[in-house]
Amino acid sequence: DTGVSQDPRHKITKRGQNVTFRCDPISEHNRLYWYRQTLGQGPEFLTYFQNEAQLEKSRLLSDRFSAERPKGSFSTLEIQRTEQGDSAMYLCASSLWSSRGMNTEAFFGQGTRLTVV
Amino acid sequence: RKEVEQDPGPFNVPEGATVAFNCTYSNSASQSFFWYRQDCRKEPKLLMSVYSSGNEDGRFTAQLNRASQYISLLIRDSKLSDSATYLCVVNMAGLGMRFGAGTRLTVKP
């Protein structure tokens, strides 16, 4: 499968625990995005990378959230001290950005559904 | 003001109807634009890119008005299978891709 893959697909955790999600983008894509989505809402931007550089992080994002893309390939999203309000679908997407400043469409993984109890 | 705003919906239309969705964006330096479709409990998938000259793909027509910072999607002869949430997506210069909240469409027999 050459699409975007995310792991795990589902995660149930107790409040206060740390969780980490992984995303493997399409191999030739240099941009990788993380979004959070709750029922009835569109995907909310969290952060994105170009290769290994984290270019932007949402101002709304708590310090409990951190993301890495150490080798410019896969990425991890960690949430520390989870709260019930963190329960959501976490979506990863990747795209190819060219030096001419054009961005191809983003392809999404199937998401990781987090439930904090 | 939200970076990307869409019609709140929901839209409930009969089969065969024509329906139009609108979207506005705040960043005038935005570079690329897309419409995505999202089915219930599934990931978003690209429906079509939006080009300055407007573009058509079968029953779907997308328009872009840079001066008004406005994007539209027109669906003609709607089918039951068109029922989904339609997301407006804007790639902002120097920033990541931003999504609208989505507009839910239900096509009824």
Side-chain angles (χ1 to χ4, degrees):
Chain A
D1 185 354
T2 57
V4 179
S5 62
Q6 292 187 244
D7 183 71
R9 293 286 306 278
H10 303 275
K11 178 70 176 179
I12 300 175
T13 191
K14 290 183 178 180
R15 191 173 51 186
Q17 296 295 305
N18 298 345
V19 294
T20 300
F21 309 142
R22 177 178 170 124
C23 172
D24 287 89
I26 292 172
S27 57
E28 61 266 28
H29 284 181
N30 50 14
R31 284 198 169 177
L32 185 149
Y33 307 83
W34 285 100
Y35 294 88
R36 174 172 61 190
Q37 187 173 30
T38 53
L39 198 61
Q41 299 297 315
E44 176 193 6
F45 173 79
L46 296 179
T47 188
Y48 89 101
F49 294 84
Q50 182 158 311
N51 300 310
E52 66 276 9
Q54 187 174 20
L55 295 190
E56 188 191 4
K57 184 176 177 180
S58 170
R59 292 189 302 273
L60 303 176
L61 206 58
S62 156
D63 289 343
R64 297 183 296 106
F65 286 71
S66 62
E68 294 182 340
R69 194 183 183 197
K71 297 182 180 179
S73 55
F74 74 92
S75 175
T76 57
L77 177 69
E78 182 183 19
I79 309 174
Q80 296 181 324
R81 304 181 303 280
T82 51
E83 301 172 358
Q84 286 187 317
D86 297 332
S87 295
M89 175 73 84
Y90 289 82
L91 292 164
C92 175
S94 70
S95 69
L96 182 63
W97 182 86
S98 74
S99 57
R100 292 177 296 172
M102 298 305 294
N103 202 26
T104 65
E105 68 268 26
F107 293 84
F108 281 83
Q110 292 182 300
T112 295
R113 184 170 296 281
L114 173 67
T115 302
V116 182
V117 297
Chain B
R1 181 185 174 188
K2 290 184 179 179
E3 293 169 314
V4 181
E5 295 201 67
Q6 291 187 238
D7 283 346
F11 285 66
N12 297 301
V13 302
E15 271 187 293
T18 295
V19 61
F21 303 140
N22 302 316
C23 173
T24 57
Y25 59 95
S26 61
N27 187 327
S28 60
S30 296
Q31 297 170 310
S32 49
F33 310 88
F34 308 94
W35 283 101
Y36 276 70
R37 170 189 169 133
Q38 187 172 28
D39 293 297
C40 188
R41 295 189 172 273
K42 299 285 189 180
E43 72 276 19
K45 292 186 178 178
L46 179 71
L47 177 66
M48 58 196 303
S49 302
V50 186
Y51 302 119
S52 297
S53 55
N55 49 300
E56 187 174 309
D57 182 2
R59 299 180 293 109
F60 299 84
T61 301
Q63 297 278 352
L64 168 64
N65 184 323
R66 285 187 183 271
S68 301
Q69 296 178 203
Y70 169 92
I71 306 161
S72 65
L73 176 68
L74 183 76
I75 306 176
R76 292 182 298 277
D77 187 24
S78 52
K79 312 290 184 190
L80 296 177
S81 58
D82 294 334
S83 297
T85 296
Y86 291 83
L87 298 159
C88 173
V89 183
V90 176
N91 187 43
M92 303 200 164
L95 304 175
M97 298 178 77
R98 299 294 199 269
F99 283 74
T103 303
R104 179 175 288 182
L105 171 66
T106 301
V107 181
K108 299 185 175 181

